[in-house]
């Protein structure tokens, strides 16, 4: 940043500046407009300008303007501009001085409280910035100022935490189809859990213990530049791919590498950050907001880059998500209750990891009577799946039913009774009862357990 400012002053001295050179308007009383222009060049930074005696007094603030008291941000004086420059926004072509994108980040009116050679105090009335601020010169250095907010933060505003322990997931079973509307489903990516803290357009990567591992993932630095002035604490997973699939060996090499090694491995084992949650945003905690609200905030950030993205969250139809996870060789899926808050470091039944669920769609073809506690209902359902133009037998399911399931299904099955099985390869069960195969359902097959009932997908119309 210092080199960039030095070059800016040198080129202005030579008359090579390409920014608009507008004639200054007549002098106006002290105070007036202020503007903050966000500049995206080699680095993101902000130019802060206050109208004073017909010109815009100007400072570059490399880390963005503070929204909370207690923060002191470096502010470096740059050339004054005419007041009309407060309206400037656009693209400065490559090769020209100041090349990059200039956008108006905030603007409004300000009231001067004190204006002295070494200290300026003022009140901002902008769309984003509202409150009492101070610009103070560092002693002994004319080119170094500090910008501070003086009054308390707006209600609810607080510093972005440096770190919060990620909320763990608890191993669990697939929710039933009747509960699908209460859950969101995400793919479980095999990777390294990480938080990314963004402040002043700089991204800091933290592992699940809070250790700073930013140097190990240089390709994630651009995430800070993309968010710009937006402050955030993001939760997600760092994943390394090879040939389009997660690569555990590459991930281990990246995890074990030092900073120099990480730079050498970027092209051979590139890392990607899959963002799944936002814990803190724009100086406000989002921990107590329900999962669906946090996901909406996350989606609105538009985080898409060469090495980061926000994978989709699927609301309902967990069976389809489970089948897609198996098709892609993923270890399973995450089921997150839509109403769940974020509880740092605390596992509970709101977030479940379902390991490699084999969820199959079936049709109910018949049933066998139950005994004991199930007398008067059924002991198991006989299943079928499509096979060409017809059906074939697909085994049975006898576990996973609630009392409500048993009663409701027994009533439905009685309405669909037929004398013959709906497929030619019927099992030799003398007590089997057959039905018209119009009820679609899902069952979950485990590697070492009997199929488990998940629930109906449809009922006869």
């Amino acid at each position: 940043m210092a080199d960039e400012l030095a070059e800016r002053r040198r080129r202005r001295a030579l008359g090579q500046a390409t920014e608009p050179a507008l004639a200054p308007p007549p002098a106006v009383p002290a105070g007036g407009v202020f503007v903050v222009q966000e500049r995206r060049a080699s680095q993101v930074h902000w130019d802060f300008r206050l109208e004073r005696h017909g010109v815009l007094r100007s400072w570059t603030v490399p880390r963005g303007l503070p929204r909370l008291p207690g923060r002191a941000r470096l502010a470096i004086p740059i050339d004054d501009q005419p007041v009309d420059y407060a309206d400037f926004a656009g693209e400065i072509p490559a090769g020209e001085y100041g090349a990059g994108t200039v956008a108006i980040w905030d603007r409004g009116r300000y009231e001067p409280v004190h204006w002295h050679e070494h200290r300026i105090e003022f009140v901002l009335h902008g769309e984003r910035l509202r409150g009492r601020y101070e610009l103070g010169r560092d002693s002994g250095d004319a080119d170094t100022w500090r910008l501070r907010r003086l009054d308390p933060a707006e209600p609810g505003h607080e510093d972005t935490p440096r770190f919060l322990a990620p909320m763990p997931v608890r191993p669990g079973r697939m929710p039933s189809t009747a509960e699908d509307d209460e859950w969101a489903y995400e793919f479980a990516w095999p990777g390294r859990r990480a938080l990314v803290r963004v402040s002043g357009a700089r991204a800091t990567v933290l592992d699940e213990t809070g250790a700073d591992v930013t140097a190990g993932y240089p390709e994630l630095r651009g995430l800070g530049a993309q968010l710009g002035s937006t402050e955030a604490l993001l939760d997600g997973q760092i994943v390394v791919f090879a040939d389009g699939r997660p690569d555990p060996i590459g991930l281990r090499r990246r995890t074990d590498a030092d900073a120099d090694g990480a730079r050498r491995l970027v092209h051979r084992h590139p890392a990607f950050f899959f963002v799944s949650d936002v814990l803190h945003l724009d100086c406000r905690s989002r921990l107590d907001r329900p999962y669906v609200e946090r996901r909406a905030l996350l989606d609105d950030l538009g985080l898409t880059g060469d090495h980061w993205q926000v994978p989709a969250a699927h609301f309902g139809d967990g069976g389809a998500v489970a089948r897609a996870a198996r098709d892609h060789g993923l270890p399973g899926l995450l089921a997150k209750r839509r109403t769940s808050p974020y509880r740092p470091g605390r596992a509970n039944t709101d977030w479940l990891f379902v390991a490699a669920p084999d969820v199959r769609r079936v049709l109910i073809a018949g049933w066998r009577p139950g005994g004991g506690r199930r007398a008067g209902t059924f002991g198991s359902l006989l299943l079928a799946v499509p096979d060409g133009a017809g059906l074939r037998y697909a085994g049975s399911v006898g576990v996973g039913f609630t009392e409500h399931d048993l009663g409701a299904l027994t009533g439905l099955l009685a309405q669909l009774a037929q004398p013959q099985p709906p497929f030619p390869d019927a099992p030799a069960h003398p007590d089997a009862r057959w039905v018209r195969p119009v009820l679609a359902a899902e069952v979950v097959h485990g590697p070492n357990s009997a199929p488990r009932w998940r629930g109906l997908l449809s009922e006869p119309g």
Side-chain angles (χ1 to χ4, degrees), residues 96 163 230 235 266 299 350 353 457:
E96 296 188 11
F163 174 73
T230 300
D235 183 11
V266 162
D299 291 339
D350 283 342
F353 168 66
L457 295 174

Side-chain angles (χ1 to χ4, degrees), residues 364 366-371 373-381 401-417 433-435 439 453 456 459-460:
I364 299 176
W367 55 282
R368 298 179 67 187
R373 291 179 57 250
R374 291 199 186 179
T377 61
F378 57 86
S380 63
L381 299 178
F401 301 97
T402 65
E403 291 297 324
H404 177 269
D405 292 335
L406 292 169
L409 283 168
T410 297
L412 288 171
L413 296 172
Q415 301 172 32
L416 299 173
R433 309 290 192 265
W434 304 107
V435 298
L439 294 177
W453 175 255
L456 281 178
E459 295 185 10

Side-chain angles (χ1 to χ4, degrees), residues 439-453:
L439 294 177
E442 285 184 343
V443 295
V444 183
H445 286 249
N448 301 306
S449 60
R452 185 176 188 83
W453 175 255

Side-chain angles (χ1 to χ4, degrees), residues 76-137:
I76 303 171
I78 55 176
D79 294 327
D80 296 344
Q81 294 289 342
V83 173
D84 288 358
Y85 192 66
D87 296 325
F88 177 71
E91 192 78 22
I92 299 176
E96 296 188 11
Y97 172 73
T101 302
V102 180
I104 295 176
W105 184 82
D106 195 20
R107 65 179 304 160
R109 307 290 297 180
Y110 85 97
E111 304 169 29
V113 179
H114 300 288
W115 194 296
H116 302 295
E117 181 180 355
H118 299 288
R119 180 177 175 272
I120 305 168
E121 187 177 334
F122 47 90
V123 180
L124 298 180
H125 303 279
E127 296 179 12
R128 292 182 170 180
L129 298 174
R130 293 179 293 273
R132 196 180 189 101
Y133 283 79
E134 174 193 72
L135 270 164
R137 191 195 302 266

Side-chain angles (χ1 to χ4, degrees), residues 287-369:
L287 298 177
D288 289 334
R289 307 313 304 158
Y291 171 85
V292 288
E293 287 190 23
R294 299 197 308 276
R295 282 293 310 203
L297 291 171
L298 188 57
D299 291 339
D300 288 344
L301 291 177
L303 296 177
T304 301
D306 292 339
H307 290 276
W308 57 88
Q309 61 176 281
V310 179
H314 305 272
F315 295 94
D317 202 0
V321 181
R323 288 186 286 275
R326 286 182 66 86
D327 290 345
H328 288 85
L330 298 178
L333 56 79
L334 304 177
K336 298 181 178 180
R337 203 178 295 275
R338 298 188 189 196
T339 57
S340 62
Y342 193 101
R343 294 292 177 249
R346 291 165 51 191
N348 57 54
T349 55
D350 283 342
W351 282 20
L352 302 176
F353 168 66
V354 185
D358 182 5
V359 180
R360 302 181 190 180
R361 297 189 64 157
V362 295
L363 296 171
I364 299 176
W367 55 282
R368 298 179 67 187

Side-chain angles (χ1 to χ4, degrees), residues 19 104 174 243 347 386 459:
E19 297 168 343
I104 295 176
M174 282 288 294
D243 299 324
E459 295 185 10

